[in-house]
Amino acid sequence: MNIHEYQAKEILSSFGIPVPRGRVALTSDQVERAAKEMGGRCVVKAQIYAGGRGKAGGVKLVHHPEQAQELGKDLFTRKLVTPQTGPEGLRVRRILVEEAVEIAREFYLSITLDRESSRYCLIASAEGGVEIEEVAQKSPEKIHMLTIDPFTGLRPYQARKIALALGLAGSVCEDCVELILNLYRLCLEKDCYLVEINPLVVTRAGWLMAMDAKINFDDNAMFRHREYPDMLDYSQLDTLEINAGKYDLSYIKLQGNIGCMVNGAGLAMATLDVLKEFGGEPANFLDVGGGATREKVAEAFKIILQDSDVKGVFVNIFGGIMRCDVIAQGIIEAASEVHCALPIVVRMDGSKVEEGKKLLLDSGLNVQIGENLGDGAARIVQMLGQK
Ligand code: ADP
Ligand code: MG
């Protein structure tokens, strides 16, 4: 789960990590007032669930409150497109107005879960402010990494080694050690998947400060943090993904035109692979869950059809827990409700499969039955005239 920069900074601050003074604004008038409060000269930062804002005009230094208001107006009325948002961009609903800090040096610092070692991994670089992937590619020697042993935790000497590798000395080095240890504590206590400070800066006056912050919570730990969902900004999420979440469906939009409805994540992955194999392009990943009910199947079908890119639907259901005839009814109900005339291919197996197939073939829908996964994939691709 993602949160905004200003929320991440509030959390950093509560763990003793210094951040610039700032205020969140929801209107351009509030941007102006916040800018006045900061003394006129300030940094106006669009809050979106993506980085790369600086280069895209989403982070700007302004010199007067009126200038801040103008910029606020502009940001609130258009979508911000950055290298991380995709071409459609994201709406800006909140703006962070911050004191302008005199920066002497910029660093990169993050802690993330390394799937390979199943441990937290600390990453630091003196090349901050830019894309870390770029640094990793061009000059990997400038990146310092440390895998953290969960039993010993992060030790001060390890944090000091990182601070020294960043070229820090004296009191700033000791401040950095404390900051790194606090960051690790935050990661553990808040169950983060990623905490990234880019850039971490040393100000002209010689203080360390987190100038940008990104936090991702681990969704699997949500049950331990009931307050997290309240932090979500729904304007930043795909509406279909939000709806899918309500019905406990795993839905991820993809780029193709074949809507896919499958039960079980493994089967869903295999379905996408086989579709691709036959020259089809899936429009989504959708797992209705092992015990797919008629209601869930109907909702899933509606979600798929709300995507205007979808030109045909491939249903691949194994009726182990749920009977095939019940699933067929769910599909028929949903398809009739939304007047679906798109080609549909259903491949199903399990209990009451013959009854299910008969219901579908008698339904009047533009539907074909796939005898097996390969046959089903070939049929939907052929019905759409692909390949
Ligand atoms: P993004 O990573 O999305 O581009 P950042 O918050 O990192 O956005 O901002 C981009 C750059 O703007 C930073 O690398 C930093 O140099 C500068 N910056 C951001 N906030 C401030 C601030 N409060 N004062 C001065 N400079 C800032
Ligand atoms: Mg940044």
Side-chain angles (χ1 to χ4, degrees):
M1 184 193 134
N2 238 316
I3 55 171
H4 282 305
E5 172 197 4
Y6 77 90
Q7 295 164 318
K9 279 178 165 164
E10 279 168 14
I11 296 177
L12 288 181
S13 182
S14 70
F15 278 79
I17 297 174
V19 299
R21 203 155 52 86
R23 257 194 192 288
V24 190
L26 302 175
T27 65
S28 52
D29 287 341
Q30 282 185 340
V31 172
E32 184 190 20
R33 274 163 49 208
K36 256 185 209 150
E37 214 176 286
M38 299 297 149
R41 192 171 172 276
C42 60
V43 178
V44 173
K45 311 183 79 174
Q47 300 295 288
I48 53 169
Y49 281 0
R53 298 163 301 164
K55 285 183 203 152
V59 176
K60 276 192 182 156
L61 175 73
V62 297
H63 298 276
H64 309 285
E66 302 81 58
Q67 204 187 345
Q69 187 187 30
E70 280 304 307
L71 182 56
K73 258 190 201 151
D74 173 48
L75 286 170
F76 278 134
T77 45
R78 66 183 172 92
K79 281 189 170 179
L80 191 59
V81 180
T82 85
Q84 294 180 19
T85 58
E88 64 282 2
L90 282 170
R91 284 229 158 277
V92 180
R93 295 270 186 244
R94 307 173 195 190
I95 288 178
L96 174 62
V97 181
E98 250 181 17
E99 63 172 316
V101 175
E102 302 285 339
I103 299 172
R105 291 181 67 188
E106 300 199 343
F107 304 91
Y108 176 94
L109 180 67
S110 72
I111 299 180
T112 185
L113 268 178
D114 172 25
R115 287 171 186 268
E116 226 156 88
S117 59
S118 310
R119 291 176 174 199
Y120 274 125
C121 175
L122 187 142
I123 304 171
S125 174
E127 302 273 315
V130 285
E131 299 287 327
I132 197 68
E133 292 85 358
E134 209 177 297
V135 185
Q137 231 172 25
K138 288 188 188 147
S139 32
E141 74 285 355
K142 289 186 177 151
I143 296 198
H144 310 283
M145 284 180 52
L146 173 77
T147 306
I148 303 168
D149 186 316
F151 294 105
T152 56
L154 184 64
R155 312 308 304 161
Y157 82 91
Q158 293 174 309
R160 192 165 294 109
K161 221 165 142 181
I162 294 283
L164 290 169
L166 292 178
L168 298 174
S171 63
V172 187
C173 179
E174 282 316 300
D175 286 349
C176 187
V177 171
E178 194 185 321
L179 186 148
I180 290 173
L181 293 172
N182 284 335
L183 197 67
Y184 179 59
R185 196 162 54 84
L186 183 165
C187 239
L188 287 180
E189 284 182 26
K190 297 286 178 187
D191 284 309
C192 298
Y193 178 72
L194 168 77
V195 179
E196 184 184 74
I197 305 178
N198 187 26
L200 169 71
V201 309
V202 177
T203 66
R204 288 252 179 89
W207 297 101
L208 268 181
M209 220 181 232
M211 209 50 50
D212 187 10
K214 181 181 164 87
I215 288 185
N216 281 172
F217 297 125
D218 181 350
D219 291 347
N220 296 308
M222 215 63 106
F223 70 97
R224 282 206 285 248
H225 305 277
R226 298 282 175 210
E227 74 283 12
Y228 285 176
D230 292 340
M231 298 173 85
L232 266 180
D233 176 358
Y234 285 97
S235 75
Q236 304 294 301
L237 304 175
D238 183 290
T239 38
L240 296 185
E241 288 179 16
I242 297 171
N243 285 343
K246 280 188 204 150
Y247 291 93
D248 209 17
L249 307 164
S250 312
Y251 172 90
I252 292 158
K253 166 124 177 76
L254 301 172
Q255 311 310 321
N257 59 359
I258 302 176
C260 299
M261 176 160 70
V262 191
N263 63 339
L267 192 59
M269 296 293 281
T271 304
L272 302 195
D273 282 348
V274 174
L275 260 184
K276 281 256 187 194
E277 188 76 21
F278 281 85
E281 284 297 332
N284 64 276
F285 168 98
L286 196 155
D287 171 14
V288 286
T293 60
R294 196 176 68 189
E295 292 73 30
K296 264 190 167 182
V297 168
E299 280 311 320
F301 210 79
K302 285 183 210 157
I303 286 169
I304 289 176
L305 293 177
Q306 275 170 42
D307 177 358
S308 58
D309 292 339
V310 169
K311 301 293 179 242
V313 183
F314 184 28
V315 180
N316 185 14
I317 300 262
F318 182 75
I321 301 172
M322 209 53 219
R323 283 177 9 217
C324 289
D325 57 338
V326 178
I327 290 164
Q329 270 165 7
I331 295 170
I332 296 165
E333 267 174 32
S336 338
E337 195 179 314
V338 295
H339 308 292
C340 171
L342 297 178
I344 304 169
V345 171
V346 180
R347 181 258 167 168
M348 49 190 193
D349 224 329
S351 25
K352 300 257 178 186
V353 65
E354 292 312 322
E355 287 87 338
K357 284 180 183 172
K358 184 163 184 327
L359 278 172
L360 284 165
L361 291 173
D362 293 345
S363 67
L365 293 171
N366 181 10
V367 65
Q368 288 190 18
I369 304 290
E371 287 313 315
N372 53 48
L373 183 47
D375 180 52
R379 276 175 193 269
I380 190 68
V381 170
Q382 190 242 336
M383 279 173 101
L384 291 185
Q386 287 179 327
K387 201 175 180 184

